[in-house]
Amino acid sequence: MATLAEVLARETREGDLYDTLPDGRLRCVACGHCCPLPEGAIGVCKVRFNEGGRLRVPWGYVGGVQCDPIEKKPFFHAHPGALAYSFGMLGCDLHCAYCQNWVTSQAIRDPAAVAAPLRMSPERLVQEALAQRARVVVSTYNEPLITSEWAVAVFKEARAAGLSTAFVSNGNGTPQVLEYLRPWVDLYKVDLKSFDARHYRELGGRIEPILDTIRRLHALDIWVEIVTLLIPGFNDSRDELSRLSSFVASVSPDIPWHVTAFHGDYKMTDPENTTADMLLTAADIGRASGLRYVYAGNLPGEVGGLEDTRCSGCGALLVGRYGYHIREYHVTSDGRCPSCGASVPGRWSDRFDGQIASRPFIPGTRRFTIFSSQ
Ligand code: SF4
């Protein structure tokens, strides 16, 4: 019986994101690890490998698809109420002990994570997104940077169909992959997991490429929102949150920062769950650092007004939320506050057509072919 890794190794094509080094090794530049790969070697992500002097990369399948309210990604300043047709492949370049998508992200690294890939084409994915009335197509669930070639193929189809596109990513990018993505990605969520280099090493990465990615995304005019999962005892010290939010504000005070509540998952079940008071304290720190749009997530109804968007000029309510549900919407058709006329940073639809779904759901996967690992 073939292993999952062997099955996935067949579902590949030559990638675009690599160079050949003078000694004949390949250097993959899809993520910040920049793995040097001799003949036959596989990258840290376990899905890109050197075969015969060419880099093979994942192609032609998804690890899962789901329709999510865009608020779940979370994007709060991009097409509120829209349906985000979300797909993922398999594998990740980090190995966070608290990963909430570990079944797909750690599918090859961890034998307990069993995720069946579904054979797929970009055309079918986009047809399905349109059939579901999605507004945005999102690469998520695993780390999309390591499968960027496939994401771009899907996004080209999505753009041709009039849809917007998004990455939900750990941000461990390179200048090369961001240039590669720039023409095709409209929205980009970065998980800024910590502001401590030691913590990032524990997760299997380095903080520098992530901070560089955030700066570059903003400079490239891709809409960026930042999420920090607040884990008691890991990243919730006042000093760390102050440095982290000050960094985001230094890139732009208009970047939304979401602090979200942790609950025990995967291999990290020891820390207590994050409380609403912890989120409120973190949000205060973010605002004191100069951020204009700070949100508290994962505890609907417990965080006062920290689920809502208010005008940074006059304080008027622009978007009222409860969890993923849009309660009120007042942004004008040209993306302004109706009370004072201030421009609201983000990507706004011409009009709010109501919310298509306030809960995630799985579209009709029975029409897709499930691989056999035998
Ligand atoms: S995507 Fe990252 S981890 Fe995977 S081979 Fe490329 S550089 Fe290495």
Side-chain angles (χ1 to χ4, degrees):
M1 179 187 295
T3 64
L4 177 60
E6 288 166 345
V7 169
L8 294 183
R10 291 198 291 266
E11 307 303 324
T12 56
R13 66 149 221 196
E14 185 181 358
D16 300 324
L17 291 160
Y18 74 97
D19 303 314
T20 303
L21 299 172
D23 61 6
R25 292 181 301 169
L26 306 182
R27 176 163 326 264
C28 177
V29 292
C31 91
H33 290 313
C34 295
C35 297
L37 299 170
E39 169 64 33
I42 193 164
V44 171
C45 58
K46 306 288 188 203
V47 294
R48 299 168 74 93
F49 57 93
N50 179 347
E51 183 179 76
R54 297 180 189 275
L55 188 75
R56 304 293 301 182
V57 305
W59 193 261
Y61 68 89
V62 293
V65 291
Q66 183 167 292
C67 286
D68 293 330
I70 197 166
E71 287 71 24
K72 180 173 184 280
K73 301 293 91 183
F75 289 109
F76 276 18
H77 286 232
H79 313 295
L83 192 62
Y85 188 89
S86 305
F87 67 92
M89 296 187 94
L90 298 171
C92 190
D93 55 333
L94 301 183
H95 46 79
C96 306
Y98 54 83
C99 183
Q100 293 171 347
N101 288 321
W102 65 276
V103 172
T104 48
S105 71
Q106 304 300 318
I108 301 137
R109 196 176 278 127
D110 186 337
V114 180
L118 309 170
R119 185 160 287 140
M120 187 59 62
S121 70
E123 294 81 6
R124 287 177 71 197
L125 267 180
V126 172
Q127 283 166 9
E128 183 71 15
L130 292 170
Q132 301 291 340
R133 297 196 296 143
R135 173 77 178 74
V136 183
V137 174
V138 186
S139 185
T140 179
Y141 304 134
N142 75 317
E143 173 47 50
L145 287 166
I146 68 174
T147 48
S148 286
E149 289 93 342
W150 171 249
V152 164
V154 175
F155 290 172
K156 286 179 177 176
E157 287 294 323
R159 281 280 188 80
L163 302 177
S164 295
T165 61
F167 256 32
V168 170
S169 165
N170 62 31
N172 187 27
T174 64
Q176 294 93 328
V177 73
L178 297 179
E179 278 299 326
Y180 182 78
L181 296 171
R182 183 186 57 78
W184 305 109
V185 177
D186 297 302
L187 319 171
Y188 202 118
K189 189 209 84 173
V190 176
D191 266 319
L192 184 51
K193 300 167 190 289
S194 169
F195 212 70
D196 183 318
R198 184 175 50 90
H199 286 159
Y200 261 104
R201 282 196 295 276
E202 288 172 19
L203 306 176
R206 294 179 299 124
I207 191 170
E208 290 82 6
I210 291 149
L211 302 186
D212 190 52
T213 292
I214 293 169
R215 292 188 197 98
R216 286 177 187 273
L217 288 168
H218 182 70
L220 292 169
D221 200 28
I222 295 171
W223 179 252
V224 184
E225 302 200 18
I226 306 285
V227 174
T228 300
L229 182 69
L230 197 66
I231 303 175
F234 178 71
N235 61 3
D236 66 336
S237 76
R238 176 168 285 276
D239 173 63
E240 182 165 348
L241 293 173
S242 179
R243 289 185 293 113
L244 186 155
S245 54
S246 294
F247 163 77
V248 177
S250 76
V251 178
S252 170
D254 286 337
I255 294 177
W257 183 46
H258 305 253
V259 280
T260 58
F262 164 85
H263 62 267
D265 211 329
Y266 195 35
K267 295 177 181 172
M268 190 183 276
T269 51
D270 285 344
E272 57 181 316
N273 289 349
T274 311
T275 65
D277 280 346
M278 293 173 185
L279 293 183
L280 297 177
T281 299
D284 282 344
I285 293 169
R287 281 193 297 251
S289 297
L291 291 172
R292 297 190 179 117
Y293 304 98
V294 180
Y295 301 103
N298 289 354
L299 295 176
E302 297 182 39
V303 290
L306 285 173
E307 297 182 89
D308 301 332
T309 300
R310 287 188 174 274
C311 176
S312 65
C314 71
L317 180 66
L318 299 172
V319 185
R321 301 182 186 84
Y322 177 91
Y324 306 144
H325 176 63
I326 303 291
R327 293 185 296 112
E328 295 185 51
Y329 186 88
H330 304 293
V331 181
T332 65
S333 59
D334 59 349
R336 294 182 178 277
C337 169
S339 296
C340 71
S343 178
V344 188
R347 302 289 185 267
W348 309 98
S349 301
D350 291 347
R351 64 172 196 265
F352 179 61
D353 286 327
Q355 188 163 34
I356 294 180
S358 59
R359 293 170 179 277
F361 64 92
I362 298 174
T365 50
R366 65 189 172 283
R367 291 192 299 280
F368 304 147
T369 306
I370 298 179
F371 285 38
S372 168
S373 61
Q374 299 176 13

